Amino acid sequence: MSKWDKLLSEICSLSKGLRFDELRKVLESYGYQMHEPRSGSSHYTFRKRGCQPITIPKHEPIKKIYVEMVKQVVESEAKNDENA
């Protein structure tokens, strides 16, 4: 199993050991662009045309709710790949 597959597996199983940079890597691979926070905030927003923006705070450990958001993206992209 490659590192990428292992990372996607951890996201889909809602692992508690995920880091912000791992979620960022996954979102950017699916075409999301990271936007820096303004005025001292620690919340980064990821945007992709035609999709809801996703906001994730850069705190360790990442809370389960944010991993669930990225899991939804992974699952919807997998469906899109199957339908294409």
Side-chain angles (χ1 to χ4, degrees):
M1 181 182 278
S2 70
K3 286 183 179 182
W4 180 254
D5 292 333
K6 188 180 279 189
L7 177 58
L8 293 181
S9 175
E10 286 182 24
I11 289 171
C12 289
S13 67
L14 301 176
S15 174
K16 293 181 179 181
L18 292 166
R19 297 186 326 253
F20 175 84
D21 289 334
E22 293 170 327
L23 298 182
R24 178 185 54 83
K25 184 189 304 185
V26 170
L27 288 172
E28 287 179 343
S29 74
Y30 289 125
Y32 283 79
Q33 293 181 341
M34 184 174 77
H35 296 272
E36 299 283 328
R38 296 185 190 177
S39 67
S41 176
S42 63
H43 288 65
Y44 289 76
T45 302
F46 295 87
R47 297 181 192 278
K48 179 179 177 181
R49 183 178 296 262
C51 298
Q52 290 282 350
I54 298 173
T55 302
I56 301 175
K58 192 171 185 179
H59 296 291
E60 307 283 332
I62 298 293
K63 291 185 180 178
K64 183 179 176 181
I65 186 70
Y66 301 110
V67 178
E68 287 175 351
M69 289 180 196
V70 176
K71 178 184 176 186
Q72 290 175 355
V73 170
V74 169
E75 290 173 346
S76 71
E77 291 293 333
K79 278 186 190 176
N80 290 342
D81 288 346
E82 290 175 3
N83 293 336

